[in-house]
Amino acid sequence: MLPKTLARKYGLREFMVKRYIEIFGVKGTKEFLDKVEKGISSYVRVNTIRGREEEITYRLMEKGFDLKDTFVPHVYSIKGDFSPSSSLEYLRGEIFLQDLSSAYASFSLGVKEGERVLDMCSAPGAKTTHIAQLMRNKGEILAVDSSKTRVLSLIYNLARCGVRNCYVWIEDSRKLPSMIKSKFDRVLLDAPCTGEGVISKDRSRKLSRVEKDYSIMSSIQKELISSGLSLLKEGGILVYSTCSISPEENEEVISYALEKFQVEIIPLEFGERGLKSFMGRKYPREVTKCRRFYPHVHDTYGFFLAKLRLVKEVKT
Amino acid sequence: MTPSWFKSLKRWVENLNSEYEDEIMKFMKWCLDSEILIKKENLILLLTSRSSFLNRSVFSGIPLGEIGSRERFIPHPEISSVIGPFLKKAYSSEKGAVLFTYGRDLFIESVLGYSEMPRDEECLLICDAYGRDFGIGRYKRGERIIVNLLDRGLYLRKGY
């Protein structure tokens, strides 16, 4: 009866609540759903391509914004009387509105100046602009996205943030291995997903998904991660992330990568451990090195993150 | 042979009525001859690096504008970072700068000062007190305003 009651109370589908109970337990599910209703904190990343961090944060505080440090460098939680997206700092690209968990994904990639980086599903560009910032606009980023409309947002975000080392392609990233001969030092795969973790932002996701969607997305994600790993240099790093908490789109995809490729998971400092099992399915022990973020625990969107190192290059 | 889109860009620069028009066009011509000023789809881009990825790319470098209907050049806010150094500057109050980014004109009363005194009808780079630019406007001495030609609020108004 409980899943049905909670589903009615929070306007969700019953199967979703059952899955949440499997992950969080009953008490955790209530806390999760309460937080989703209440909403999470807003975060901004200070774009050091456009100016000095101290000066930008000083100007924001002068306008009455309350900023608090987070565990990701240059990222602050922000509170104010008006939206930072209408500030002069935003229009000049000095700040980017980006969730903490999303910024942790691009930060975890560990890019260095002068490297070659592939961002596989890059629009609208929050992580791409962050990577460019961490590379100090040096080296090269190939940013790919299959949607022409979304690529337009990416282009204008790159321009606004002063990114100069990025090349944008409109392409399905699953086709990239047949198109690119050279390999990359690092690959970011922020895979398309059911978006279960961003219900607090997009309420339509409460009812827009059916159970079958998890397996459909999971197949696409497996194809994408195969493509990403095929394009990686030996010893190169791939960060896989989704804004979903469903294990089919996360632990299952990483288990697939562990089985098909010679990769190892690099543990990350922040976040909850990956799941060992879900609804009767068991995942390899190593998958617990992946990281999960939850609204009621970390005050972020629901998010999944895995950092993989390719031990042996794939012959293409 | 000079491409037609470059002629549109030239017309837009001439319309700025800047004292430094010749310098701007010399720079643009040099970029064109060096093949770093290019047209991709309908975007005019100033390349900042070269790579084998460029051939298939729809975007790279700094967008200067796009070519609209009848080959008209429509400037992008980022063009100010390229031609800004050639323009005289008007320093605005915070309130004036905010209103300017809403697409409004700038009243002379909101101007804190100029880098050099502008001529009537000359285009200026609009900056705040910290020297950060927000767009380009045309100085109208008689009407005591700087007419908004281009501003960074476009990023919000266009919904990007």
Side-chain angles (χ1 to χ4, degrees):
Chain A
M1 275 309 282
L2 187 67
K4 203 170 189 172
T5 315
L6 287 177
R8 198 174 298 146
K9 183 180 173 189
Y10 293 99
L12 293 159
R13 291 191 189 275
E14 195 179 333
F15 75 86
M16 291 169 82
V17 178
K18 280 183 185 164
R19 293 166 60 89
Y20 296 151
I21 292 174
E22 174 86 10
I23 297 173
F24 303 120
V26 175
K27 188 171 170 274
T29 300
K30 283 181 184 165
E31 286 169 2
F32 168 74
L33 293 173
D34 278 340
K35 183 67 180 173
V36 165
E37 286 302 306
K38 202 175 142 203
I40 58 157
S41 295
S42 298
Y43 298 91
V44 288
R45 171 170 50 82
V46 172
N47 177 19
T48 49
I49 291 176
R50 284 296 199 199
R52 287 164 57 95
E53 187 163 356
E54 313 85 79
E55 287 172 9
I56 297 167
T57 50
Y58 172 77
R59 283 197 282 265
L60 287 171
M61 288 191 284
E62 215 179 30
K63 285 175 182 164
F65 287 109
D66 181 25
L67 299 178
K68 282 204 178 80
D69 277 327
T70 67
F71 60 84
V72 181
H74 316 303
V75 179
Y76 298 84
S77 72
I78 187 165
K79 266 187 202 157
D81 293 335
F82 64 99
S83 168
S85 66
S86 56
S87 67
L88 295 175
E89 285 68 26
Y90 175 84
L91 296 176
R92 273 192 50 80
E94 292 173 354
I95 56 169
F96 202 108
L97 275 65
Q98 184 177 14
D99 186 57
L100 180 62
S101 55
S102 155
Y104 190 46
S106 27
F107 176 73
S108 299
L109 193 60
V111 291
K112 296 185 185 79
E113 287 177 36
E115 285 186 332
R116 295 180 91 221
V117 178
L118 171 65
D119 188 354
M120 294 178 75
C121 306
S122 53
K127 296 180 191 70
T128 320
T129 52
H130 191 190
I131 291 168
Q133 172 183 351
L134 295 168
M135 292 170 81
R136 298 184 189 208
N137 246 344
K138 290 172 186 155
E140 54 189 25
I141 304 169
L142 177 61
V144 183
D145 204 280
S146 59
S147 157
K148 201 170 179 178
T149 329
R150 280 166 59 84
V151 159
L152 208 58
S153 308
L154 168 68
I155 289 174
Y156 284 101
N157 276 326
L158 293 172
R160 186 173 61 82
C161 293
V163 174
R164 306 285 185 248
N165 64 339
C166 188
Y167 297 86
V168 178
W169 284 16
I170 302 172
E171 198 55 71
D172 181 339
S173 282
R174 289 175 291 183
K175 294 180 188 162
L176 293 179
S178 62
M179 300 164 77
I180 303 172
K181 297 283 165 266
S182 51
K183 304 265 180 177
F184 292 86
D185 298 298
R186 286 165 210 268
V187 174
L188 177 69
L189 171 54
D190 183 41
C193 63
T194 55
E196 222 182 1
V198 291
I199 295 175
S200 58
K201 182 172 72 171
D202 182 1
R203 307 271 160 174
S204 69
R205 306 228 179 206
K206 282 182 169 184
L207 297 168
S208 64
R209 296 291 177 184
V210 290
E211 265 185 292
K212 185 169 78 173
D213 289 341
Y214 299 111
S215 58
I216 294 172
M217 292 317 296
S218 187
S219 320
I220 297 171
Q221 288 151 351
K222 284 171 191 168
E223 286 180 60
L224 282 165
I225 204 167
S226 301
S227 172
L229 288 168
S230 308
L231 287 165
L232 205 55
K233 280 180 188 170
E234 194 163 294
I237 300 291
L238 180 141
V239 166
Y240 175 85
S241 64
T242 66
C243 53
S244 169
I245 56 169
S246 96
E248 293 90 335
E249 300 180 80
N250 299 315
E251 282 85 352
E252 193 177 309
V253 176
I254 300 303
S255 306
Y256 170 85
L258 287 171
E259 191 188 314
K260 300 279 177 192
F261 296 87
Q262 291 198 39
V263 288
E264 58 183 9
I265 304 176
I266 302 172
L268 293 166
E269 197 179 345
F270 301 99
E272 302 267 298
R273 284 165 175 267
L275 301 180
K276 283 180 197 161
S277 62
F278 180 72
M279 291 193 153
R281 273 163 283 185
K282 291 211 182 320
Y283 305 116
R285 178 188 281 267
E286 221 189 329
V287 170
T288 57
K289 288 181 188 165
C290 302
R291 290 292 177 256
R292 295 182 144 255
F293 288 86
Y294 301 126
H296 60 302
V297 180
H298 307 99
D299 197 17
T300 64
Y301 291 130
F303 203 79
F304 177 88
L305 190 55
K307 184 173 181 175
L308 307 176
R309 180 186 287 125
L310 186 69
V311 178
K312 193 170 178 210
E313 196 172 299
V314 181
K315 295 266 180 282
T316 47
Chain B
M1 202 176 115
T2 313
S4 58
W5 59 262
F6 189 78
K7 289 175 190 159
S8 311
L9 172 64
K10 187 169 183 276
R11 273 197 296 278
W12 184 82
V13 172
E14 282 166 359
N15 204 27
L16 291 174
N17 194 24
S18 164
E19 258 184 68
Y20 304 103
E21 181 191 315
D22 290 346
E23 281 80 356
I24 298 173
M25 280 323 297
K26 246 185 237 169
F27 172 70
M28 292 293 184
K29 186 75 175 61
W30 177 82
C31 293
L32 181 74
D33 294 341
S34 312
E35 297 178 349
I36 54 172
L37 184 65
I38 62 163
K39 182 171 174 260
K40 276 264 178 192
E41 310 249 320
N42 61 344
L43 273 180
I44 305 300
L45 302 170
L46 182 64
L47 300 180
T48 46
S49 57
R50 281 198 173 276
S51 155
S52 56
F53 298 139
L54 186 63
N55 290 343
R56 287 188 64 92
S57 296
V58 291
F59 173 82
S60 182
I62 308 169
L64 300 192
E66 48 193 271
I67 300 297
S69 57
R70 293 185 197 165
E71 286 279 301
R72 197 166 66 93
F73 177 75
I74 305 160
H76 184 276
E78 290 307 312
I79 197 171
S80 56
S81 63
V82 177
I83 64 164
F86 296 103
L87 300 178
K88 293 176 188 171
K89 294 173 184 68
Y91 297 99
S92 160
S93 65
E94 171 90 8
K95 194 178 169 193
V98 170
L99 289 173
F100 195 77
T101 58
Y102 292 167
R104 308 267 285 272
D105 298 335
L106 187 66
F107 288 105
I108 297 300
E109 288 73 25
S110 301
V111 178
L112 306 171
Y114 299 96
S115 59
E116 284 176 70
M117 205 51 209
R119 302 176 301 181
D120 193 22
E121 298 284 325
E122 184 170 359
C123 284
L124 307 170
L125 188 70
I126 311 301
C127 303
D128 68 356
Y130 298 105
R132 302 179 301 169
D133 67 277
F134 291 99
I136 295 172
R138 187 183 301 283
Y139 177 67
K140 300 245 184 194
R141 186 172 292 155
E143 294 165 51
R144 296 184 57 77
I145 53 167
I146 296 174
V147 176
N148 184 317
L149 291 187
L150 177 71
D151 68 86
R152 287 186 175 272
L154 209 67
Y155 285 118
L156 282 184
R157 295 201 297 276
K158 277 209 164 186
Y160 301 131

